[in-house]
Amino acid sequence: MTTALADSWVIARRGLVHMRRLPEALVDATIQPIMFVLLFAYVFGGAIHPPGGGSYKEFLMGGIFAQTLTFGIFGVALALANDRKNGAIDRFHSLPISRAAVLAGHALANLMRSMLPIGLMSIAGLIVGWRIHSSVGNAVAAYALMIGFVFALIWIGVLLASLVRTPEAVQGVAFIFIFPLTFVASTFVPTQSLPSVLRTIAEWNPITSVANALRHLFGNPGGTLPDHGPWSLQHPVAYSVLWIAGILLVCAPLAVGAYQRSIRS
Amino acid sequence: MASSHAIEAVGLTKRYGTKTALDRFDLDVARGSVCALLGPNGAGKTTAVRLLTTLAEPNEGTGTVAGHDIRTDPVGVRRSIGLAAQDATVDDLLTGRENLVMIGELHHLGRKPSRSRAGELLDRFSLTDAADVLVRDYSGGMRRRLDLAATLVADPEVLFLDEPTTGLDPRGRNELWDVLDGLVSGGSTILLTTQYLEEADRLADDIVVIDHGRQIARGDARSLKRQLGGDQLHVVCAQDSDVDRVAQILQEVAGVAPTVDRAARSATVTTEGGAGAVAVLAGRLDSAGVAVEDLGLRQPTLDDVFLSLTGAPPVDEEPEEEAA
């Protein structure tokens, strides 16, 4: 057990060194969220009015946090797909280490990687005028929710990498499925403004739920819980936690299984 | 379990979908010896290595490596082996030293011993100057040397080298052969795969020729060549019109009909006469007044071995893919 942890840490450290030495692979975790904060705050800021009033810049932050963390799926998926492509997975598996260590190492490195966008977005938000209006306890809960969400998404990334296998295919899935999914949500606009089918999808989309939960916990515009409407909108924190638990219970074992099958052939 | 064999395999079979990559493959490699698996792309060489290094599970058959069963004791196998896979799987974004230290730590040598072991190996493979350079800036030959160094970190009993010189230029290949000579004289047991008879000849005690997942011949280089009837006399004429005369002279010297390639203006015949045959042939051609572009004694190539063993030249099949 101790050696399995030590092995995971060796592989996690390697992942962190990779990130430092290939900064262009960090664009989605650094420049992109900052750019989105600035673009949406200043380009759309005047045109969109959050439900219940308040500043759009403050409404925006919960959405951009949720979207950027969702893109984190690709950090781990790409790292695994690249390791498979260049043979690193084979080399690791020819060594006398626990096979779980490779996955655990990647998961750990990507969990640590996600601290970067969370920190940078918070700073960018504070600069454009976002503030936390709630209690310290709620703010801590908001950041804990983000970390839990990232941890769950990492296993979706592992599953994705085991199913599609090549870095190119990972990029393809990113663009075709995940990118739109982050927009059919309350990320940038309130769900009320969406047409019927999209609106229903958005209302039950976990990205909406995480965005609204963060708005609620930070005391930002759009965070007031409605008295009627779908259960997911009335209880965004509980609904987000359910998603996180569901992904961990269902996706994580599937992901580990798919990964094991993909390497033992 | 004491065995005189470092590697033993009986009836190893691996199927990917409908394709049988390895078909009831038997192998035994004595301790301290070097065995070459020789065959074209897709013959099953890499599959055999993947099964024996526990990267894949056989559908049928059994095997032991350094006394550990590949099916029931894969961790024991992994503790005893070093694997250099086909594409030099060293980490581009780490330095040479970091690569070796990481492998040492994953072999549970501890951080300090890993560092000193890395230093030793970098020195031994003439990589000390490049030790702290990122591997992405290494030449192909340097990557291969680092890859070999990485397989040696834990001082393994058995080394698996999958096409160790593929993709290297002739100079890089020669350098790597020198390195491998050193390993061989150090007494390691080595299983290497190659597409080149010359390489198998140079490095291995024992050559296993493999095609369509099956062993089709086995022996040292001399006995394989003896099956072919020796070296080859090869003549390239300066003029098209001389090819027939040269072919006739070759037949007289060697006693058998040569293979003629008119497009290349060349004629080739197998001989056991060695250098003497070259001298006789040169004299005959000179007195016949034939202008010759090239004349010499060639070792048979893998193509020739295959031609003689199977009656057909080797066919490169699809590279061995992992099953979906």
Side-chain angles (χ1 to χ4, degrees):
Chain A
M1 192 61 201
T2 337
T3 56
L5 287 178
D7 292 342
S8 308
W9 177 235
V10 170
I11 290 167
R13 247 180 24 225
R14 159 182 178 271
L16 294 173
V17 170
H18 277 195
M19 291 170 200
R20 204 174 69 228
R21 293 196 181 145
L22 202 65
E24 53 270 36
L26 277 177
V27 167
D28 69 301
T30 53
I31 297 171
Q32 184 179 302
I34 294 174
M35 207 169 70
F36 274 27
V37 169
L38 297 178
L39 276 178
F40 282 88
Y42 292 111
V43 177
F44 293 142
I48 302 170
H49 301 286
S55 142
Y56 180 70
K57 287 170 187 165
E58 291 202 290
F59 171 81
L60 179 65
M61 288 307 297
I64 293 194
F65 276 123
Q67 182 190 48
T68 302
L69 297 180
T70 305
F71 290 153
I73 290 177
F74 301 105
V76 71
L78 276 177
L80 275 173
N82 277 322
D83 271 5
R84 182 192 306 280
K85 187 181 180 183
N86 62 30
I89 297 265
D90 278 353
R91 165 142 268 156
F92 286 138
H93 290 149
S94 73
L95 299 173
I97 58 173
S98 149
R99 294 204 163 189
V102 177
L103 275 191
H106 274 291
L108 188 58
N110 278 278
L111 194 63
M112 293 171 76
R113 175 194 201 258
S114 70
M115 303 304 149
L116 192 63
I118 292 176
L120 288 173
M121 278 185 293
S122 300
I123 294 166
L126 289 171
I127 291 171
V128 303
W130 167 72
R131 294 291 180 271
I132 298 171
H133 300 287
S134 60
S135 64
V136 174
N138 275 358
V140 170
Y143 281 99
L145 182 70
M146 289 194 226
I147 292 168
F149 189 50
V150 168
F151 187 66
L153 292 175
I154 281 170
W155 299 101
I156 296 187
V158 171
L159 185 60
L160 179 63
S162 305
L163 295 178
V164 305
R165 296 179 173 221
T166 65
E168 294 74 16
V170 167
Q171 306 265 25
V173 171
F175 196 72
I176 295 169
F177 297 105
I178 310 288
F179 194 70
L181 197 64
T182 64
F183 280 89
V184 185
S186 67
T187 318
F188 298 111
V189 293
T191 48
Q192 293 93 307
S193 63
L194 295 169
S196 62
V197 178
L198 286 185
R199 178 171 170 175
T200 307
I201 296 173
E203 283 169 351
W204 294 94
N205 186 340
I207 296 164
T208 294
S209 167
V210 171
N212 288 358
L214 293 175
R215 286 168 185 142
H216 175 69
L217 291 169
F218 284 135
N220 287 149
T224 316
L225 304 181
D227 297 329
H228 49 85
W231 187 84
S232 57
L233 292 187
Q234 291 187 49
H235 306 93
V237 177
Y239 186 61
S240 299
V241 171
L242 272 182
W243 263 98
I244 292 169
I247 291 171
L248 288 177
L249 285 174
V250 177
C251 257
L254 276 181
V256 172
Y259 173 78
Q260 300 281 14
R261 272 194 306 282
S262 74
I263 54 169
R264 287 292 277 171
S265 55
Chain B
M1 184 171 96
S3 163
S4 60
H5 290 122
I7 304 174
E8 277 182 301
V10 181
L12 281 185
T13 299
K14 180 66 179 177
R15 286 180 286 269
Y16 290 115
T18 56
K19 187 178 179 282
T20 303
L22 206 62
D23 189 5
R24 285 161 284 162
F25 184 72
D26 298 335
L27 183 70
D28 52 86
V29 180
R31 278 183 200 279
S33 75
V34 181
C35 175
L37 288 184
L38 177 70
N41 272 334
K45 305 188 298 291
T46 297
T47 303
V49 169
R50 289 183 68 83
L51 296 183
L52 290 168
T53 55
T54 76
L55 288 178
E57 279 174 352
N59 296 108
E60 283 149 41
T62 55
T64 58
V65 174
H68 303 281
D69 191 297
I70 58 171
R71 292 188 114 150
T72 58
D73 186 15
V75 175
V77 173
R78 285 176 220 143
R79 232 176 249 132
S80 320
I81 62 168
L83 165 67
Q86 215 169 88
D87 317 303
T89 57
V90 283
D91 197 314
D92 269 343
L93 292 172
L94 300 184
T95 66
R97 190 190 308 279
E98 287 168 342
N99 264 286
L100 298 183
V101 171
M102 178 178 74
I103 302 281
E105 289 184 303
L106 292 175
H107 270 291
H108 312 123
L109 302 184
R111 193 162 176 83
K112 250 189 153 170
S114 295
R115 292 198 70 81
S116 63
R117 181 72 177 141
E120 266 168 55
L121 286 166
L122 288 163
D123 202 36
R124 175 164 161 203
F125 287 89
S126 322
L127 289 168
T128 304
D129 290 342
D132 299 308
V133 174
L134 292 191
V135 170
R136 69 173 165 204
D137 297 324
Y138 277 28
S139 70
M142 289 160 76
R143 286 178 68 95
R144 287 288 182 171
R145 296 209 302 273
L146 182 65
D147 195 32
L148 272 182
T151 66
L152 295 176
V153 166
D155 227 344
E157 283 177 60
V158 185
L159 281 178
F160 291 87
L161 312 176
D162 197 2
E163 301 203 5
T165 62
T166 295
L168 291 185
D169 59 19
R171 184 166 150 249
R173 177 169 296 178
N174 275 318
E175 279 176 14
L176 203 81
W177 281 353
D178 289 341
V179 170
L180 291 175
D181 282 341
L183 287 184
V184 171
S185 57
S188 308
T189 305
I190 301 178
L191 179 71
L192 64 92
T193 75
T194 179
Q195 303 190 39
Y196 309 105
L197 180 61
E198 186 193 4
E199 182 162 288
D201 188 2
R202 159 91 193 250
L203 298 170
D205 308 310
D206 202 14
I207 300 171
V208 170
V209 185
I210 176 171
D211 189 34
H212 295 297
R214 309 200 65 160
Q215 178 176 322
I216 57 172
R218 175 169 191 172
D220 59 11
R222 195 188 296 170
S223 75
L224 284 176
K225 279 190 210 159
R226 204 179 303 123
Q227 291 184 32
L228 295 177
D231 294 327
Q232 294 181 320
L233 273 175
H234 180 71
V235 182
V236 181
C237 305
Q239 279 155 14
D240 294 331
S241 53
D242 288 335
V243 174
D244 289 327
R245 269 171 77 200
V246 167
Q248 199 191 338
I249 294 168
L250 264 177
Q251 175 152 12
E252 288 162 20
V253 172
V256 273
T259 316
V260 175
D261 182 346
R262 286 184 191 282
R265 296 193 304 275
S266 72
T268 308
V269 71
T270 302
T271 176
E272 286 175 333
V278 181
V280 173
L281 177 65
R284 293 288 303 273
L285 291 170
D286 191 40
S287 56
V290 178
V292 163
E293 221 166 60
D294 188 21
L295 162 69
L297 200 59
R298 275 198 334 196
Q299 285 205 343
T301 62
L302 176 58
D303 285 24
D304 301 319
V305 174
F306 265 84
L307 203 59
S308 130
L309 290 170
T310 66
V315 182
D316 274 5
E317 291 179 19
E318 294 279 303
E320 291 154 37
E321 295 274 346
E322 288 174 47

